[in-house]
Amino acid sequence: MNNKIVIITGSPRRRGNCSRLAASFEKRLNELGCETAVYNACSFSACDWSGSGAYFNDADRSDDSEAYLELLKKDIGEAHGVVLAVPVYVYGMPAQVLAMLDKIASAVKSGEISGRKRCALISCCAQKKISVFNGIKFTYEHVVKALGWENSGELLLTSLWKRSDADKHGAADEAYAFADKFAAQDAEEKKMPVDTEGPVNGGLTVSSLINDTLPSWLFE
Ligand SMILES: Cc1cc2nc3c(=O)[nH]c(=O)nc-3n(C[C@H](O)[C@H](O)[C@H](O)COP(=O)(O)O)c2cc1C
């Protein structure tokens, strides 16, 4: 295990808000001496299931997402942390991100990826209400818990609609500052502060939606 942090962006929009937030977050991590590896879930086809060989010759697949996925899994295996930078799409995560999480969960279950990872969520949406993030928070928090990883914080930014809004409204600066908090936090010892229904921007984390005490579904 080293100080590598894997950042997974999840928007099909090039140079969009998530890319800008992730770049700002990464810049600060690099300044702090962390190694980073950035992947875009949208380079990974949500439809690229290994079972597709039942329908057509595997060699005929039109993308190289399998090689991309192998690299991602190797990097996560070595990494200390995993950070998602994903937009709200229809009150949840984009399908490509869910597909990538499916693959990561399988790799954890099979033992291909092991070890506890510190995680964070960076997300943005166009609307102004914090409840718009409920779907993404629910998925993120439950997946992290199911994998046996640790949630070290969430940066949820509302009112970002157009492609470069993250730069215009100071959100990229929020992501930069969030990297400081992420790097400084010792996830073993610190408890997450609980946010309220107030302004979303700048919070390290907001209250968890997890209210069950069941063990992970993944290992049952
Ligand atoms: C297909 C699609 C669905 C979206 N769904 C929502 C939504 O449910 N709520 C919301 O507030 N914003 C929604 N948005 C807006 C995006 O969350 C917002 O534009 C965000 O900044 C996009 O990030 P990006 O630039 O990294 O792609 C949606 C955008 C798209 C393209």
Side-chain angles (χ1 to χ4, degrees):
M1 186 91 63
N2 56 24
N3 72 347
K4 184 187 282 185
I5 307 293
V6 172
I7 301 170
I8 301 173
T9 60
S11 170
R13 178 154 69 170
R14 282 185 207 278
R15 296 183 296 282
N17 292 316
C18 290
S19 302
R20 288 164 200 261
L21 295 170
S24 191
F25 182 82
E26 182 189 22
K27 180 170 183 276
R28 185 58 183 149
L29 284 186
N30 291 154
E31 288 169 358
L32 294 168
C34 296
E35 186 188 345
T36 48
V38 182
Y39 290 83
N40 185 351
C42 297
S43 298
F44 169 79
S45 167
C47 302
D48 175 35
W49 295 98
S50 45
S52 62
Y55 304 104
F56 57 84
N57 190 324
D58 230 28
D60 292 338
R61 268 187 298 164
S62 61
D63 56 62
D64 61 355
S65 58
E66 198 169 317
Y68 195 69
L69 183 67
E70 289 309 313
L71 270 180
L72 169 74
K73 288 192 291 193
K74 181 174 173 294
D75 268 333
I76 292 180
E78 294 170 359
H80 175 64
V82 178
V83 176
L84 291 183
V86 301
V88 172
Y89 264 27
V90 199
Y91 300 99
M93 293 188 183
Q96 290 94 335
V97 179
L98 291 174
M100 182 170 266
L101 291 177
D102 284 346
K103 297 293 188 182
I104 292 171
S106 298
V108 170
K109 185 173 172 64
S110 71
E112 208 179 334
I113 293 175
S114 61
R116 194 171 177 79
K117 314 290 176 189
R118 287 186 49 211
C119 301
L121 171 67
I122 298 173
S123 187
C124 61
C125 73
Q127 291 171 270
K128 291 183 182 166
K129 282 187 169 180
I130 187 174
S131 58
V132 171
F133 291 108
N134 281 359
I136 244 174
K137 275 174 57 59
F138 187 92
T139 304
Y140 163 77
E141 290 173 4
H142 282 79
V143 167
V144 165
K145 186 181 179 200
L147 296 177
W149 295 356
E150 182 147 5
N151 179 11
S152 287
E154 300 167 11
L155 179 67
L156 307 177
L157 298 156
T158 60
S159 312
L160 302 181
W161 172 231
K162 293 182 184 163
R163 182 155 85 167
S164 56
D165 278 354
D167 292 341
K168 286 182 198 146
H169 303 312
D173 295 337
E174 301 265 5
Y176 186 89
F178 185 60
D180 268 320
K181 293 175 187 170
F182 181 78
Q185 202 179 35
D186 187 323
E188 233 62 69
E189 293 172 9
K190 288 198 174 175
K191 285 197 165 183
M192 299 299 106
V194 176
D195 205 349
T196 64
E197 280 289 308
V200 179
N201 293 2
L204 179 60
T205 191
V206 292
S207 56
S208 172
L209 291 178
I210 295 182
N211 58 8
D212 60 63
T213 52
L214 292 173
S216 168
W217 53 268
L218 195 62
F219 298 104
E220 285 174 3

